[in-house]
Amino acid sequence: MSEILRIFVSATQDLETKRGIIGRTLAELPVQVGAEIRRYPPEGISYDTLFELVGNVDRMYFLMGSDITAPAGAEWDLAMRLQRSLMPLRAPAKLTPAAEQFLRITSRQVTAQEWRQFDTAADLARIVGLDLIDMLLHPTNRYGVSLVEIQQLQKHRHTFENPSADTVSDPGGAERGGVILGRQNISV
């Protein structure tokens, strides 16, 4: 049976609006697989609930801007302790002293080369899109991708690797997380 692709998106406050880019990038991939995008809700949750949200994700995207803000630091720490697959992403910004200290502390966990810098919404979509395609094309086919979808994903990868224009804008919606269901998961 196919698994649901589970993603957690962590973002510092100055990059809160960038969360939607990840959801939109996933939704626009040419596949019909079940997916769930998780986040720390704006109204807050208990540590135990956060543990459950982060504990069984396939990937955490960590978006860092100019400052490290709550609850992003706790989300990072939990992902590291649970050995979750984490992709750290940074926007070009002048860092606050707290952000510089966070990077120094976390340099034991990830190297400077592992941080991926994005300059625009299109750049973030490209980085995340390529990563999602790699996950979906995993040799064990955990997510039930069909042969036709594999071919479409490979074509889509080419568009990310060779972008023609900066066409991704800052999207709205999905700020509170969401579930993307493939057609086979929807009953009417």
Side-chain angles (χ1 to χ4, degrees), residues 79-142:
M80 287 292 124
R81 286 194 290 125
L82 295 174
Q83 299 178 349
R84 297 293 80 203
S85 176
L86 185 138
M87 178 179 277
L89 299 148
R90 281 194 51 208
K94 182 173 177 4
L95 299 177
T96 65
E100 289 175 358
Q101 180 67 12
F102 176 79
L103 290 177
R104 269 194 295 280
I105 291 168
T106 61
S107 68
R108 295 180 202 108
Q109 299 164 328
V110 296
T111 65
Q113 291 79 21
E114 290 175 286
W115 281 93
R116 306 218 179 142
Q117 185 166 326
F118 63 93
D119 297 317
T120 64
D123 201 22
L124 177 59
R126 182 187 59 75
I127 292 167
V128 170
L130 287 169
D131 184 60
L132 288 168
I133 288 170
D134 287 343
M135 287 191 330
L136 290 168
L137 292 177
H138 189 275
T140 61
N141 197 12
R142 295 173 52 191

Side-chain angles (χ1 to χ4, degrees), residues 50-77:
L50 179 61
F51 186 93
E52 287 181 34
L53 287 174
V54 173
N56 68 345
V57 295
D58 299 301
R59 172 84 77 230
M60 176 188 276
Y61 293 106
F62 186 87
L63 306 174
M64 179 147 172
S66 62
D67 196 10
I68 186 66
T69 55
E75 293 166 346
W76 175 284
D77 183 59

Side-chain angles (χ1 to χ4, degrees), residues 9-79:
V9 181
S10 178
T12 56
Q13 288 179 1
D14 56 338
L15 295 182
E16 186 69 29
T17 60
K18 301 292 185 209
R19 288 180 194 267
I21 294 169
I22 293 171
R24 185 165 123 189
T25 301
L26 175 59
E28 290 176 351
L29 289 177
V31 291
Q32 297 297 319
V33 298
E36 182 179 352
I37 300 173
R38 301 172 176 183
R39 67 158 295 166
Y40 190 97
E43 62 274 1
I45 54 173
S46 70
Y47 185 80
D48 290 339
T49 304
L50 179 61
F51 186 93
E52 287 181 34
L53 287 174
V54 173
N56 68 345
V57 295
D58 299 301
R59 172 84 77 230
M60 176 188 276
Y61 293 106
F62 186 87
L63 306 174
M64 179 147 172
S66 62
D67 196 10
I68 186 66
T69 55
E75 293 166 346
W76 175 284
D77 183 59
L78 187 55

